[in-house]
Amino acid sequence: MTMLIHFIRNGPSYLPEIDAYCAYIQAHGHQTMVHDSSHTVPTSASVVWWFCGRVPMREARRLRGAFQIHEYASASIPPHAWAKDQVKHWTQPRPDYRIYQNGWVRERMGFADGVPHALRDMGVAAHFFEAPQHTPAPEFDLVYLGEMSRLLAFIPVLQAIDAAGRTLLLVGNVHAELQMHLPPNVTCTGRVDHAQVPPHLRRARFGLNLVPNALPFQQQTSTKVLEYCAVGLSVVSNAYPWVRYFMAQHKANFYLLNDDASSLVTSFGEALDAYPYEVPDVRALAWPQVLDSLPLWRTILR
């Protein structure tokens, strides 16, 4: 029997996993539909997959005939992150299944009601692994991909890159507040379609990973690191728990920046080129392989 699975985004967050889920499900002969709001999901739906966010009790009841999945791709972010997660813990309607990005997110949410669950980490889209026919020499020293607003906390790092004579490419849309603080060595691509990201990453020698060393960011997967590795870039990162865990798990060797602001210019000097980088093989993290391990399919893709 062909299944139609309804995904509810529940907000404007960038969720590449939705595309991965849709491609995987359709490749197995089933159908998908993505909704920005639950109000467009028909009451007759058989499977409803919520990305949490808050799940309105009234809507969960309206769709009570469906098998309902709650996915926590991330814990709540500041401000008031802990309070927001506690509100979710006590007020979310009970689903039939939960998915968490990792064990830390599961513990953070704290549900202990016996609902079946699975852990599903981030994956990498197939086009990141496709070898280009021609790879020109890198134009930039470093490239940064991802959420640009978080760079506001790392302006001293950007200034140190400039002071060391290094160039930086930002792949994505840069808002006005950040633009005001960027040194002259920074080039911005503007918004880029996800399929065109790998060629932009290959325009640089090093992938730059800057993540606030605070909850929940420090405990969650940095998708940009996976994508840097997939295209073969050496990685330069600030030091925090998840990146150390990833290095240990995958036998990677990344250049970790010192927290001391006074040493940042030196960090981006000759040491950047001389470091013995190890870029791990992350092909096992391609989305189809990541999704294959989900036990949920045995329940909903009958």
Side-chain angles (χ1 to χ4, degrees), residues 71-288:
E71 173 150 345
Y72 293 88
S74 166
S76 298
I77 63 173
H80 313 303
W82 173 249
K84 287 186 281 190
D85 284 334
Q86 288 298 295
V87 169
K88 289 177 188 176
H89 172 87
W90 292 110
T91 65
Q92 294 281 57
R94 178 173 169 148
D96 298 287
Y97 202 91
R98 291 190 184 99
I99 296 176
Y100 307 93
Q101 186 199 104
N102 58 29
W104 181 86
V105 175
R106 180 179 63 81
E107 292 177 8
R108 171 81 165 196
M109 299 312 304
F111 295 111
D113 51 10
V115 170
H117 72 273
L119 308 181
R120 192 276 305 148
D121 210 336
M122 294 301 295
V124 183
H127 58 271
F128 281 84
F129 298 98
E130 296 169 359
Q133 292 183 339
H134 173 63
T135 304
E139 309 164 54
F140 300 92
D141 293 302
L142 298 126
V143 61
Y144 175 89
L145 168 69
E147 176 53 56
M148 296 296 169
S149 64
R150 294 177 191 166
L151 285 181
L152 284 169
F154 291 98
I155 296 302
V157 177
L158 304 187
Q159 293 171 340
I161 292 171
D162 180 61
R166 300 286 186 174
T167 53
L168 172 64
L169 176 67
L170 300 184
V171 180
N173 193 39
V174 177
H175 54 82
E177 185 180 3
L178 176 60
Q179 190 79 51
M180 291 170 50
H181 294 281
L182 293 180
N185 68 327
V186 177
T187 300
C188 308
T189 65
R191 186 176 179 84
V192 171
D193 184 81
H194 195 239
Q196 296 304 312
V197 169
H200 284 288
L201 295 185
R202 294 187 180 100
R203 296 173 67 188
R205 298 170 56 211
F206 306 103
L208 182 62
N209 180 54
L210 297 175
V211 172
N213 192 8
L215 296 176
F217 311 109
Q218 64 176 208
Q219 297 289 349
Q220 297 182 168
T221 300
S222 174
T223 306
K224 65 173 68 64
V225 167
L226 309 186
E227 294 174 342
Y228 293 157
C229 293
V231 301
L233 291 184
S234 298
V235 175
V236 178
S237 177
N238 64 309
Y240 62 98
W242 178 84
V243 80
R244 292 187 185 278
Y245 168 81
F246 180 86
M247 289 169 61
Q249 287 292 106
H250 294 273
K251 297 186 171 85
N253 200 17
F254 299 159
Y255 187 91
L256 299 184
L257 300 169
N258 194 312
D259 287 337
D260 179 13
S262 64
S263 69
L264 280 173
V265 175
T266 303
S267 296
F268 287 104
E270 294 181 2
L272 196 68
D273 302 300
Y275 194 74
Y277 298 92
E278 289 289 341
V279 180
D281 184 342
V282 295
R283 283 174 292 185
L285 302 180
W287 272 120

Side-chain angles (χ1 to χ4, degrees), residues 280-295:
D281 184 342
V282 295
R283 283 174 292 185
L285 302 180
W287 272 120
Q289 283 87 325
V290 171
L291 297 185
D292 267 341
S293 65
L294 265 183

Side-chain angles (χ1 to χ4, degrees), residues 38-62:
S38 62
H39 299 295
T40 58
V41 178
T43 305
S44 60
S46 297
V47 180
V48 177
W49 197 311
W50 301 82
F51 284 83
C52 308
R54 294 289 303 281
V55 176
M57 184 67 75
R58 179 178 295 180
E59 282 296 280
R61 288 173 178 163
R62 180 178 72 83

